[in-house]
Amino acid sequence: MKKLVTFLALTLSCVGFSTYSVLDTFIVVKNQRSVDINSNISFSFDNPSIYLPSSSSSASSSNGSSTSEPSSSQNSSSNNPVQPNYYEDLTPEERAALFTDEVVYDDDVYSDQDIYIRIHRLRDEADTTNYYVADIRLKSLQYFKTALAKNTFGQNIEERTSDISKANNGILAINGDYYGAQEKGYVLRNGFVLRESARSKAEDLAIYSNGTFEVFKEADKSLRSVAESGAWQVFSFGPGLIVNNEIVVTPDQEVDNKSMATNQRTAIGIISPLHYIFMVSDGRTKESYGFKLYEVAQIMKDWHCYIAYNLDGGGSSTMYFHNHLVNKPVQPTGWGANETIQQRKISDIVYIGK
Amino acid sequence: MTLFISENKKAFFRSMWIYAGATVFTAIFGIVYEHFSLGVYSLSMQLAWLYPLLLGTGICAIFAFVPIKYLPGFLPFYIYNFGVAIWTLRSVFIGVIEIYGTTNDLMVIIYTVLGILATVSSLCLYGYGLYIKSKGNLPSK
C-alpha cells in the first residue's frame, strides 16, 4: 500500500508538472500589457525629403509597373547621404508619378497620395518556388507601421495576420518577428519600447525615423540607446541577410542552425529611405519548395536592397494585401496529405497603412 | 526500517525491462515528433532516450546483475525513478520548445532543480541506508 501511494504520488507529480509546463509555454498569457501602439503616437519623423517627389501626380498607378521591376544594373545615386551605394532607378519626377491623388488599387497595386505599393508574383529561376515581392514607396515613414495581436502586448496572444491587418486598416501586411514566442529580445514598435531584455545572440533590425535601416546585435546595444537614436521599429529575429550591400549569410546558414534548408520565408529590405521591399515565399509543398536564407538574400540583392533582414518564416510567412491573401501559407499535416491554405496565428505584423 | 535496503534483485530486473520499454517509447516519440516538426530539429529531443537507457536500464542492470550486497529500498529507488522521469521529460520539453521556436527558462530551471533534488535525495537515502546497515541497526530483508 505504501509503495502504491508513493508510486501514484510521484507519477501524478510528473504528469501534472509536465502538463503545466506545456500549458505555461503555449497557452498561458504572460507579461500582458495593454498598450495600444497605434494610438497616441508622438513620434518625430525626420522626413528625408531629398528622396521624395516634390509633389504628387495624378498619373495612373500602372505607370510605375515596368519601372519598378528588378534590374541587374547597379546605378548609384550621389544624392543619398546615408548610403551612397543604394540603387534607385527612378528620377524624382518618375517617383512623383507613382503617387495618385485618388486611391487607385487592384489585386496587385495600391496607390494614393502618400503610398505606392506594387505586388510582384514571381517564381525563382530554378522553377522550384513561388515568391511575392511588394515594392513599397512612401512619402513618410509614419505609414510603415506595426501592430500587435488583439492590440495587446504579451506572450501567447495571437491572431492571424489578416485579422490584425483588418483591425488596423492595413493596406499591405506581412508577419512580423513573432516576439511572443520568445521571453527575451528587444521589442520596439511604432516608437513604443515594449521589451528591453536582450537575447545574447540575437541580431536585430532597427528602422530609424529618417527611414534608414540598421542591423545590430542585441549584445552590442541597449534598446534604450537604439530608441534614443530615433528608432521607430526594432525587430528581433534575423539574421541580417544583406548589410551595406553585401550578403552576410553563408550558403548553408539557417535560423539558429536548427531549421530545414528550404522553407517559407519573410524578409524586408530597403532600397533607399522610404523605398522598401517586403518579400514572402511559399514553401514546404510540392509546388513550391521554399528558399534557403542565402537564396532569400540573393533575391533581396537582385531587388537592390542595401540592407535586408529575415523575419519569422515557416508557417508564419504571410502576405496580406488589400483584403486578400497574396501567398499560400500552408500548414502541412506531415502525413503527406494535401496541405491546406491556412494562416498561422502570430503575435505581430508589419504593415503599410494610414 | 526496511525502507532503504533491499536484497531483492528481481525488482531491479523487472525495472530494467520497464526502462528498456521507456527508452524505446521515448525514441519513437522523438522520431514521430520530429517527423511533424517540418524540418526543425532539436538535439534534446533526439537524445532524450539516453536518460531512460543510461540512468534507467543501465543502473538497473548493474543492480540486477552485479553482485552488490545491499540494494536500494523502494523509497530511494522510487525517488530515483522520479528523477530519471524528470530528466527525460526535461529533455523532451526542451526539444518541444526548441522545435516550436520558443523559450521557457523558468520551467527548464524548475525541471533541472527537481531532477537534481530527486537524484541527489535518492542517493542520500541509499547512502543513509548503507550507513545504518553498516552500524548494524538495520535488519536485512
Side-chain angles (χ1 to χ4, degrees):
Chain A
M1 186 64 185
K2 198 184 293 180
K3 288 184 179 180
L4 182 65
V5 170
T6 308
F7 174 77
L8 286 176
L10 295 176
T11 304
L12 285 174
S13 300
C14 271
V15 172
F17 181 64
S18 302
T19 305
Y20 176 75
S21 61
V22 171
L23 291 175
D24 182 71
T25 304
F26 298 107
I27 306 295
V28 177
V29 174
K30 292 180 285 187
N31 305 317
Q32 186 174 357
R33 287 167 55 189
S34 296
V35 181
D36 188 353
I37 63 169
N38 287 301
S39 67
N40 302 318
I41 294 174
S42 57
F43 193 83
S44 175
F45 293 97
D46 305 332
N47 283 327
S49 57
I50 188 170
Y51 309 109
L52 298 177
S54 55
S55 62
S56 61
S57 163
S58 59
S60 163
S61 60
S62 60
N63 289 351
S65 60
S66 60
T67 55
S68 57
E69 291 291 343
S71 163
S72 59
S73 63
Q74 285 290 324
N75 299 340
S76 63
S77 172
S78 60
N79 66 349
N80 185 348
V82 178
Q83 173 48 258
N85 295 320
Y86 82 88
Y87 175 88
E88 187 56 283
D89 57 346
L90 301 180
T91 64
E93 291 73 25
E94 287 173 320
R95 270 178 273 169
L98 300 175
F99 300 99
T100 56
D101 288 335
E102 296 181 355
V103 174
V104 177
Y105 67 89
D106 60 25
D107 283 353
D108 293 327
V109 175
Y110 176 94
S111 178
D112 65 21
Q113 289 182 338
D114 306 305
I115 297 169
Y116 171 79
I117 299 168
R118 183 172 187 85
I119 308 289
H120 300 264
R121 299 165 191 269
L122 305 165
R123 193 161 173 86
D124 67 323
E125 287 181 1
D127 195 25
T128 62
T129 301
N130 298 325
Y131 66 102
Y132 312 88
V133 174
D135 185 8
I136 301 157
R137 294 169 190 265
L138 307 173
K139 282 192 179 176
S140 169
L141 191 65
Q142 66 181 302
Y143 308 121
F144 190 117
K145 295 197 256 190
T146 51
L148 309 179
K150 300 174 183 174
N151 281 323
T152 305
F153 175 83
Q155 286 180 262
N156 296 324
I157 300 172
E158 297 167 347
E159 266 187 309
R160 299 185 305 173
T161 299
S162 57
D163 293 334
I164 306 174
S165 179
K166 284 176 189 171
N168 292 279
N169 298 318
I171 299 165
L172 168 71
I174 57 172
N175 60 291
D177 63 1
Y178 206 158
Y179 76 88
Q182 304 294 330
E183 295 177 302
K184 296 179 180 177
Y186 295 164
V187 182
L188 187 152
R189 299 298 153 84
N190 298 349
F192 288 87
V193 173
L194 298 174
R195 190 169 65 194
E196 296 186 69
S197 54
R199 285 192 298 144
S200 57
K201 296 179 181 176
E203 195 170 57
D204 288 11
L205 174 71
I207 301 175
Y208 289 101
S209 58
N210 60 3
T212 58
F213 283 14
E214 182 195 20
V215 175
F216 68 97
K217 292 186 187 303
E218 291 187 7
D220 296 338
K221 292 183 178 184
S222 70
L223 183 60
R224 193 63 63 175
S225 68
V226 177
E228 287 169 355
S229 300
W232 167 238
Q233 314 284 354
V234 172
F235 302 102
S236 178
F237 198 90
L241 303 170
I242 300 172
V243 176
N244 294 331
N245 265 330
E246 298 292 330
I247 293 177
V248 292
V249 286
T250 60
D252 296 323
Q253 188 172 337
E254 268 309 319
V255 177
D256 294 334
N257 293 318
K258 287 174 184 168
S259 302
M260 63 196 302
T262 59
N263 222 325
Q264 296 111 308
R265 304 287 182 184
T266 300
I268 58 177
I270 179 170
I271 297 175
S272 67
L274 302 184
H275 186 184
Y276 305 108
I277 293 293
F278 289 177
M279 197 286 293
V280 166
S281 71
D282 291 334
R284 297 174 178 170
T285 66
K286 291 173 184 174
E287 177 193 358
S288 184
Y289 296 165
F291 285 135
K292 298 177 181 178
L293 280 179
Y294 188 76
E295 292 171 318
V296 177
Q298 286 178 315
I299 288 170
M300 300 303 273
K301 182 78 173 168
D302 289 344
W303 279 84
H304 311 293
C305 296
Y306 70 84
I307 292 178
Y309 184 81
N310 181 59
L311 290 170
D312 187 21
S316 300
S317 286
T318 307
M319 182 179 283
Y320 188 75
F321 179 64
H322 224 271
N323 297 323
H324 68 273
L325 267 176
V326 176
N327 69 319
K328 294 178 180 175
V330 295
Q331 313 295 338
T333 61
W335 290 116
N338 291 333
E339 298 87 0
T340 54
I341 297 175
Q342 184 181 353
Q343 293 179 67
R344 175 185 287 175
K345 290 184 176 180
I346 55 172
S347 301
D348 58 311
I349 63 167
V350 183
Y351 75 102
I352 305 297
K354 290 189 166 180
Chain B
M1 284 291 287
T2 58
L3 292 178
F4 305 109
I5 298 297
S6 166
E7 292 175 354
N8 183 5
K9 285 181 176 290
K10 285 182 182 176
F12 293 97
F13 191 75
R14 189 173 65 242
S15 296
M16 187 184 75
W17 285 109
I18 291 172
Y19 270 121
T23 301
V24 172
F25 175 81
T26 309
I28 291 173
F29 178 84
I31 291 168
V32 171
Y33 197 91
E34 292 216 334
H35 176 75
F36 286 100
S37 68
L38 303 168
V40 184
Y41 58 87
S42 162
L43 206 60
S44 288
M45 182 66 84
Q46 290 173 347
L47 300 181
W49 56 276
L50 283 175
Y51 288 98
L53 179 69
L54 298 178
L55 298 180
T57 308
I59 295 296
C60 286
I62 290 172
F63 283 122
F65 295 113
V66 176
I68 297 173
K69 192 172 182 181
Y70 300 117
L71 302 172
F74 93 88
L75 186 59
F77 188 55
Y78 276 26
I79 293 175
Y80 179 80
N81 291 341
F82 176 72
V84 176
I86 288 293
W87 286 120
T88 308
L89 287 170
R90 175 185 179 275
S91 191
V92 169
F93 177 70
I94 291 173
V96 168
I97 61 177
E98 281 185 347
I99 287 170
Y100 187 76
T102 186
T103 54
N104 194 335
D105 292 343
L106 179 63
M107 280 297 152
V108 173
I109 290 170
I110 294 174
Y111 270 113
T112 307
V113 170
L114 279 177
I116 291 171
L117 278 177
T119 306
V120 170
S121 59
S122 67
L123 292 176
C124 288
L125 281 173
Y126 180 42
Y128 180 61
L130 290 177
Y131 172 75
I132 293 175
K133 183 74 179 176
S134 68
K135 292 288 186 182
N137 296 330
L138 184 66
S140 62
K141 182 178 179 182

